[in-house]
Structure formats: C-alpha cells, structure tokens
Amino acid sequence: MRRTVTGLRAWLLQRISAIYMLLFIIFFLTHFLVESPDSYQAWHGWMMSSGVSIATLIFFAALMLHVWVGVRDVLMDYIHPLALRIFALTLLGIGLVAITAWVMRILLMEHS
Amino acid sequence: MKLSIFRFNPEQDEKPYMQDYEIELETTDQMLLDVIVRLKVQDDTLTFRRSCREGVCGSDAMNINGRNGLACITPVRALKEPIKLRPLPSFPVIRDLVVDMTQFFKQYHSINPYLINNEPAPERERLQSPEDREKLNGLYECILCGCCTSQCPSSWWNPDKFVGPAGLLQAYRFIIDSRDQATQERLDDLNDPYRLFRCRTIMNCTEVCPKGLAPSRAIEKIRLMMIKESL
C-alpha cells in the first residue's frame, strides 16, 4: 500500500469528505429550520455543545482535505514547471493550515 | 452547400487558415464524407484520411461544427451551414484535416492491449461462458478513431501522462476479460496520480463517441474494482 495521498486514495478521500460535508450541511440547516435558536445565547450554547463542536471541527477538517485534493488536481493540470507548482502547492498548504488553526482556535478557545 | 475547412500545409503556409467551399448537393450525397470526397475533385490539395467509408476503420475522425465525429456516418443534410471542419482538437496537425496520432497510440499501447494468460494455450481456443463474453460488449467495438480522447480536457492538459478515454476503455476491456490473468497488475498500473485519476468525469468522451460507447462508464468501473481490491 502506498503512503502518499494520490490516485485512488485521493479520489476516495474527496468522495468521503464530500458525503460528510453534505450530511453536515443538511443537519445544520435542518436544525435551524426545525428549532431555530431565538437568541445569540441559545445559538452559542448549541454550537458549543460538545457534539456539535466536534461535528463542526470534522466538517472543517473534511473541507480542508477536500480543498487540498481538488485544488492540487487543478494545479497539476495547469502548472507544469515543477518549481512553480511546488510554490503554488506550498501557498495552498500554508493557507489551509492557517484556516484550520483559526477554526480550531475559535471552536476550542470558546469552549474553555 | 457551404463549407469552411481548416487548411494548413506546413511546407507552404506560415499559419493555418479557414477556406470556404461551395458545392451543389447531389442525391447520392448522404454522408459528410461523400461531399468532401467530391470536394477533393474540385481542389485536389485538400487533404484528409478516409478508408472504409462506413464507420469501421476510424480514419475520418474530425471536428465537425465543433463536435468530433466520423465524416462517413454523419448525415450531411442535418448539419448547420456553413459546415466547419477542423482536425481533431489538441492533436498535432500534419496537414489540413490529417493529424499525428502517435501520442494517442502510445497511450493505447501503454495499457498492454492484448490478453495476458500464462497457461499453455488449449488445442483450439480459450473458452469463455456466454455471461463472461457478454461483459465485453460495449468495449471491444472501439475502432480507435480518437474522437473521445481528442475531446477530453484532461487529455488536453496531460496528453503524455493521462491514458485518455480510448486507452482506458481498452484497459477495462482486458481487466474484465475472464481469460486475462493480469487483472491485478493492470489495476496497479493505473493507480497513480495521472494515468487514470486525471479523469474528472467530464464525460465528453461518452458524449461524442461515434460508436455509442461509454468510456466514462468503463473508467467508473475500473475505480470501483480498485476500491474492491483495496478493501
């Protein structure tokens, strides 16, 4: 089994993350339609309950993996010089890590 | 009938250009090829490939009004005028409508398009059940005209690394053949970032195939087989 996330693995990862994100979005929207929180406090309490915040964290993790595989595919198609491609992939990686750190900061710091 | 045809003779022309033609339709002109064969009588510098004139050899694949197809099985009266004829997109032009298919056949050969079976051959032939034979339908009919691969954006970006729809259809034709013993090797060969997984399910291949085949379906089945194998 190869260790890199390419070929079948990357393809599967993108499908699985897409399914999770779809289910999460449905769950999220259904909650707001069925029992819409009537105040910021109620919304905040719901968001920060451990189940919802873990599900939200997984959602963003899935989103980052999905974006990584998808944008990397596009970069592989259009950017052929190796140095330029590594530069673009590094920028993308830094961007995604920064967003993930920011999301974790919001979700985890608010929690404590 | 008006036609506008891509012309390029690398020995004379600096740049390709579109040349307009006008020709009276005759009752015997059924397919587009009938018309361009008569055009060649008018202008014998016009160059294109054709052979069987009945959709079996795959020589006269070209881009007809923006869509790849075989001139010999495209009814000429149904086409919008002026009929714009161009060589297969993304393939290097040799002259006028004739393209260089070296890369295309290189990709085709890369999937080992023949049965691999190391058991000694039986006296008459390797037998197959009717059900197993049925699985080859929709695959073996490919005539390698290049319409699908030439219309595939993933093949445009990576023609040297992505096998392309025609090659992958043939790869599946041998993967699914009950007489072939190299199934695992064939699947492993395709499991890298480029050879199969450049396919982005755009499905132009299935849309334009003049034989009504579905390379995108074959690619999907290869992916499913890979998933099953990896579990």
Side-chain angles (χ1 to χ4, degrees):
Chain A
M1 205 63 176
R2 63 183 80 209
R3 280 164 192 276
T4 49
V5 184
T6 53
L8 180 69
R9 283 188 166 199
W11 184 83
L12 261 183
L13 186 70
Q14 206 170 28
R15 265 73 201 160
I16 293 168
S17 58
I19 292 169
Y20 180 83
M21 287 192 288
L22 182 68
L23 293 177
F24 180 85
I25 291 169
I26 292 171
F27 158 73
F28 206 78
L29 292 179
T30 316
H31 173 78
F32 281 94
L33 283 177
V34 177
E35 43 177 330
S36 182
D38 46 14
S39 67
Y40 172 72
Q41 257 64 37
W43 174 82
H44 190 261
W46 181 75
M47 271 309 286
M48 290 305 148
S49 63
S50 54
V52 177
S53 57
I54 289 171
T56 310
L57 258 184
I58 298 175
F59 171 81
F60 280 100
L63 180 64
M64 295 309 140
L65 291 172
H66 195 87
V67 171
W68 171 250
V69 173
V71 178
R72 187 184 60 175
D73 265 347
V74 176
L75 294 178
M76 279 165 80
D77 279 351
Y78 291 95
I79 305 185
H80 288 269
L82 190 65
L84 201 60
R85 186 189 289 179
I86 291 174
F87 175 70
L89 285 172
T90 310
L91 273 190
L92 173 67
I94 292 173
L96 294 182
V97 168
I99 295 172
T100 311
W102 189 18
V103 168
M104 286 180 69
R105 186 168 165 259
I106 294 170
L107 284 168
L108 300 179
M109 297 262 286
E110 286 277 318
H111 231 289
S112 50
Chain B
M1 165 150 282
K2 287 192 174 73
L3 294 98
S4 171
I5 303 181
F6 178 100
R7 301 299 311 269
F8 180 59
N9 178 353
E11 284 165 14
Q12 292 174 6
D13 307 328
E14 251 176 57
K15 278 197 295 186
Y17 58 97
M18 298 299 285
Q19 185 173 343
D20 292 329
Y21 288 93
E22 202 156 353
I23 190 168
E24 283 296 316
L25 271 192
E26 290 179 5
T27 46
T28 50
D29 293 333
Q30 295 298 317
M31 300 298 170
L32 176 60
L33 184 66
D34 300 331
V35 176
I36 50 182
V37 164
R38 288 207 300 117
L39 267 185
K40 193 170 168 71
V41 178
Q42 269 185 27
D43 174 1
D44 64 4
T45 63
L46 177 64
T47 310
F48 52 93
R49 287 195 184 109
R50 88 274 179 276
S51 178
C52 77
R53 60 103 187 93
E54 56 184 7
V56 177
C57 72
S59 304
D60 63 349
M62 56 184 71
N63 190 273
I64 307 158
N65 282 347
R67 192 189 154 94
N68 289 354
L70 300 176
C72 57
I73 54 171
T74 302
V76 71
R77 281 160 225 271
L79 292 171
K80 205 177 141 230
E81 286 186 60
I83 302 170
K84 291 200 181 78
L85 300 182
R86 295 170 190 273
L88 288 179
S90 86
F91 287 21
V93 175
I94 294 173
R95 182 173 164 165
D96 295 349
L97 300 175
V98 176
V99 293
D100 180 356
M101 299 186 74
T102 312
Q103 181 92 265
F104 174 80
F105 282 110
K106 217 169 132 189
Q107 291 295 1
Y108 169 66
H109 290 298
S110 80
I111 59 104
N112 299 325
Y114 42 81
L115 270 188
I116 298 177
N117 188 324
N118 293 322
E119 281 167 25
E123 207 170 306
R124 292 190 63 182
E125 58 193 306
R126 295 186 198 278
L127 293 175
Q128 195 170 36
S129 71
E131 293 76 34
D132 283 337
R133 170 60 187 77
E134 185 75 22
K135 291 177 187 161
L136 306 182
N137 288 352
L139 305 170
Y140 80 91
E141 297 95 327
C142 174
I143 56 174
L144 298 171
C145 61
C147 283
C148 57
T149 297
S150 151
Q151 201 99 75
C152 167
S154 291
S155 289
W156 298 343
W157 310 145
N158 293 288
D160 51 335
K161 301 194 190 93
F162 176 53
V163 173
L168 290 169
L169 183 84
Q170 287 314 297
Y172 184 63
R173 181 247 170 276
F174 288 99
I175 287 171
I176 201 65
D177 193 313
S178 62
R179 300 163 297 180
D180 190 273
Q181 295 179 328
T183 312
Q184 189 61 52
E185 290 83 343
R186 292 180 190 280
L187 290 176
D188 289 345
D189 170 59
L190 295 176
N191 190 5
D192 84 340
Y194 285 100
R195 287 178 62 72
L196 178 130
F197 284 96
R198 279 299 93 190
C199 169
R200 224 57 62 66
T201 329
I202 296 162
M203 300 208 277
N204 277 5
C205 51
T206 304
E207 170 72 20
V208 298
C209 177
K211 305 295 282 182
L213 310 178
S216 54
R217 179 59 50 84
I219 294 170
E220 180 198 342
K221 286 183 173 162
I222 298 175
R223 283 196 190 112
L224 290 176
M225 280 184 85
M226 283 180 174
I227 294 173
K228 273 189 202 148
E229 291 294 322
S230 66
L231 289 179

